[in-house]
Amino acid sequence: MSAPSMAATLAASLPAPSAVTAPAAPTYEAIPPSMSTAIDVEAEIPLTCVQLDALVVSKIIQHSQDAPAGSAHGLLLGLDLEGTLEVSNSFPLPNHTNDDDEKVSKSLVRYQTSMLRSLREVQGDDNVVGFYQATSLGAFYNQSLIDTQAIHQERLRHGGVVIVHDLSQTARGTASFRAFKLTPAFMDIYKKSNFSATSLGHRRLTFSSILEEVPLRIRTNPLLSSFLNGLAAPSTTSPYTSAHLGSPATSAVPPSYSVLDLGNSGLARNLEHVAESIDNYRTEEGNVAYASRQIAREKLRLETHLAKRREENAQRVSQGLNPLPEEDVSRTFKIPPDPSRLESLLLLGQLDAYAKTLESTAGLGLAKMYAARAGHTT
């Protein structure tokens, strides 16, 4: 048997290496529910302003131009700090038509969850702060917008906002973005689902007090500002070649002459929308009047029955007989609830928006025509 080597002898004489203990994972205590509101200081600061990044503005405009008219909508992502709702990103939602409502809702939920998970994986903003909706001629009062905004105001910390983008204003060269949220008075009635005439009159709620507008501003970074200025600045293709000497200066963005257009092609379409809104409102008022007559007829039948029953009991008592036992009249007479006036309020809001757009468009058109006439005569 051979003797062990010097290296083996030294290795055997050394102490065994001690096992390295892994550091214990930090433990965090859960915040008690009673203190969650006290720690969340930002939730107590009221929302005073909405700040849109230029990236969000460009995304909304692009989506509104690509999607069918009035169907572009999506979610807004960002953060609320010191009363300012900073919207830093957005993504569009698919538009489903002629599909089952249950299938559409499940598909939208899966799509939203997938998009938010993808943004979270790339360290992007995944905090939903509201949604945006494209509209035309300023008419954005509809049941879908109200229901979506009501859900957001119940679940989000600051209630979230809805950004309304007017396509007709953008087509005339003025990008229109407005931020809205539901008023507390309307939210109180919406939670109770009581839109009767008595409830609306008690709270003095009209179509103008359904939504309240929040101030909005657009933030652009210096890089984007310099890029836009470079697009609008005139430049030549090559100022050092003789082929381009004396050529007119051009820019990447062609000039717009829409302000010189004297045509009022949009007035006819606007008037059609006004007339259609009036017809829809008259139809809705007719339905409400019919429902009110049905309620009055049922109440009259009930009162007649009770009066007849009282007369019979009085006659039986006078004859020394026992009165008839009381009966549950609610089973015999089904009095329907008061009709909802929410649809009427929304139709009035649409009519008011169409009328205001018609006023501004017609006024601008008349000013252009008078200016052109004055220039022609001189």
Side-chain angles (χ1 to χ4, degrees):
M1 182 176 181
S2 61
S5 63
M6 183 66 66
T9 305
L10 292 177
S13 62
L14 294 177
S18 59
V20 179
T21 58
T27 58
Y28 302 97
E29 296 182 359
I31 299 176
S34 59
M35 297 186 61
S36 59
T37 56
I39 296 176
D40 191 5
V41 181
E42 293 289 341
E44 303 298 330
I45 303 177
L47 185 64
T48 58
C49 180
V50 176
Q51 179 177 287
L52 278 181
D53 281 2
L55 174 64
V56 180
V57 173
S58 60
K59 283 186 175 182
I60 295 176
I61 294 177
Q62 183 65 37
H63 183 207
S64 302
Q65 293 177 352
D66 296 340
S71 63
H73 63 288
L75 290 182
L76 302 174
L77 308 174
L79 191 65
D80 51 341
L81 294 174
E82 298 181 356
T84 301
L85 188 63
E86 300 179 359
V87 182
S88 57
N89 200 357
S90 66
F91 63 88
L93 294 177
N95 182 34
H96 296 276
T97 57
N98 301 327
D99 291 336
D100 188 12
D101 293 339
E102 185 177 357
K103 294 181 179 179
V104 169
S105 60
K106 291 182 178 179
S107 176
L108 286 177
V109 169
R110 289 193 299 266
Y111 178 78
Q112 294 179 20
T113 305
S114 176
M115 286 294 298
L116 294 176
R117 186 187 305 112
S118 301
L119 291 172
R120 194 179 303 112
E121 290 176 355
V122 297
Q123 303 298 323
D125 293 333
D126 61 339
N127 183 36
V128 179
V129 295
F131 71 103
Y132 67 87
Q133 175 69 50
T135 183
S136 181
L137 300 176
F140 53 88
Y141 284 86
N142 56 69
Q143 187 68 42
S144 176
L145 184 142
I146 297 298
D147 293 340
T148 306
Q149 179 60 23
I151 294 175
H152 284 182
Q153 290 197 195
E154 289 180 359
R155 298 182 179 180
L156 300 181
R157 183 170 60 174
H158 270 148
V161 295
V162 51
I163 303 295
V164 178
H165 172 51
D166 194 346
L167 295 173
S168 58
Q169 293 286 344
T170 305
R172 290 195 293 266
T174 304
S176 174
F177 290 90
R178 303 173 66 186
F180 294 94
K181 61 185 304 184
L182 297 175
T183 60
F186 180 82
M187 284 296 299
D188 186 21
I189 298 180
Y190 185 87
K191 292 178 180 178
K192 298 178 181 178
S193 298
N194 184 12
F195 292 99
S196 61
T198 304
S199 178
L200 296 179
H202 178 69
R203 292 174 173 81
R204 299 181 180 180
L205 188 66
T206 62
F207 70 91
S208 59
S209 56
I210 295 178
L211 296 168
E212 59 178 344
E213 188 169 2
V214 182
L216 184 144
R217 65 171 182 260
I218 297 176
R219 185 183 70 89
T220 58
N221 52 35
L223 183 61
L224 180 60
S225 300
S226 61
F227 174 71
L228 294 177
N229 293 333
L231 289 179
S235 62
T236 57
T237 305
S238 179
Y240 300 105
T241 58
S242 59
H244 295 86
L245 291 177
S247 61
T250 59
S251 61
V253 179
S256 175
Y257 302 100
S258 59
V259 293
L260 303 178
D261 185 15
L262 300 180
N264 294 321
S265 58
L267 291 180
R269 186 165 60 93
N270 203 334
L271 286 172
E272 292 176 358
H273 285 295
V274 170
E276 183 180 357
S277 298
I278 294 176
D279 293 339
N280 293 336
Y281 179 74
R282 293 182 59 183
T283 302
E284 180 63 23
E285 286 299 301
N287 297 335
V288 171
Y290 177 77
S292 300
R293 289 194 298 268
Q294 290 290 107
I295 295 174
R297 189 179 297 111
E298 290 295 326
K299 288 183 177 180
L300 180 60
R301 289 180 54 193
L302 175 60
E303 293 175 358
T304 303
H305 175 77
L306 293 177
K308 184 178 179 179
R309 193 62 177 265
R310 286 193 295 268
E311 292 179 0
E312 293 180 358
N313 287 334
Q315 185 178 1
R316 290 175 64 88
V317 170
S318 63
Q319 295 176 356
L321 302 176
N322 294 327
L324 297 175
E326 297 182 358
E327 60 177 350
D328 189 6
V329 295
S330 60
R331 296 182 179 181
T332 307
F333 301 92
K334 302 294 184 180
I335 300 179
D338 292 338
S340 174
R341 307 303 297 269
L342 177 59
E343 186 65 22
S344 300
L345 291 180
L346 298 179
L347 289 174
L348 284 176
Q350 289 187 0
L351 180 59
D352 179 72
Y354 286 137
K356 289 181 178 179
T357 305
L358 179 62
E359 178 187 5
S360 61
T361 306
L364 182 60
L366 286 176
K368 289 182 180 180
M369 294 177 67
Y370 275 110
R373 180 180 179 182
H376 179 71
T377 54
T378 56

